[in-house]
Amino acid sequence: MSVTTWSLEMHSPSELRRASRNGALEVRECTLAQYEVNRFLYAFVGGSWSWTDKLSWSDQQWRAWVENPGLRTWIAYGNGSPAGYFELHRQAGDCVEIAYFGLAPGFIGRGFGGDLLTRAIECAWAWGARRVWVHTCTLDHSSALANYQARGLVIYQEQTQ
C-alpha cells in the first residue's frame, strides 16, 4: 500500500484562518515535563492512525524527547475529559513544527479539530516562530489535510512511497 505524505507551512500569523472557538474545549499547556504523559497521549491519540514510530522507545528516549527545552505539550479537554493534544517542536531558524496533533477517537466529529489546530498554530506563533509547519499523510484521519489547509497552511512538499 502506498502512503502519501504532505508537508505544509505558514510564514506569517496573518495567514492563519481561525476556526470558531468550541466552548466545550479547554486547552492547557503541560508546564511540568512528564514523559509518561506524552507517551500515553501518543498511544491514546495515535493508535487509530498508525502512529508507531515511538511505540518501541525506551523510557530514556521518551525522557530525552519530552525534557528537551525545544518541546512544549498542550492537552485538550472536552467537558473535562482528555480529548487530544499537540506538541510543538522548536527547530533551527525559529521554525516551529507541530510535531504531533490529534484528537482521541471519542472526540472526532464534535467540532474540536479546527479549534484545537487554531490554538496550536497560535501557540507556535506566540513562541516566536518565523515559520510554522506540519506534515500529515494518507494514514491520518480523512479530514486532517483539509483541516490544515482550512487554517491557512499551504502544501510545499508531497511524497508518495
Side-chain angles (χ1 to χ4, degrees):
M1 175 174 93
S2 66
V3 175
T4 300
T5 301
W6 297 276
S7 297
L8 301 95
E9 65 185 353
M10 186 180 289
H11 290 277
S12 168
S14 65
E15 296 170 3
L16 174 59
R17 294 192 298 267
R18 289 172 174 79
S20 298
R21 289 284 194 229
N22 185 317
L25 183 69
E26 179 185 358
V27 180
R28 299 185 65 185
E29 184 174 6
C30 298
T31 57
L32 176 63
Q34 299 177 89
Y35 73 91
E36 299 92 342
V37 172
N38 291 66
R39 180 169 48 201
F40 164 76
L41 291 167
Y42 179 85
F44 182 55
V45 170
S48 299
W49 314 114
S50 301
W51 292 6
T52 58
D53 296 352
K54 294 182 179 178
L55 291 179
S56 63
W57 274 18
S58 68
D59 288 353
Q60 293 79 11
Q61 288 172 299
W62 273 106
R63 183 175 282 116
W65 170 251
V66 174
E67 293 180 1
N68 174 346
L71 186 82
R72 293 170 67 185
T73 303
W74 284 259
I75 301 176
Y77 299 89
N79 299 313
S81 296
Y85 82 119
F86 61 88
E87 290 178 355
L88 298 181
H89 184 217
R90 185 185 225 35
Q91 299 169 338
D94 291 329
C95 292
V96 175
E97 177 188 12
I98 302 172
Y100 289 94
F101 171 88
L103 293 170
F107 290 89
I108 294 172
R110 295 185 179 194
F112 289 165
D115 185 10
L116 184 59
L117 182 56
T118 295
R119 295 182 199 210
I121 295 169
E122 288 173 340
C123 289
W125 288 120
W127 198 10
R130 296 176 51 106
R131 173 179 172 255
V132 177
W133 74 281
V134 66
H135 66 271
T136 189
C137 71
T138 50
L139 297 175
D140 284 338
H141 189 275
S142 59
S143 297
L145 180 60
N147 188 23
Y148 292 128
Q149 291 177 310
R151 303 290 71 81
L153 289 152
V154 176
I155 295 172
Y156 69 90
Q157 184 177 16
E158 180 177 325
Q159 186 175 31
T160 302
Q161 295 181 335

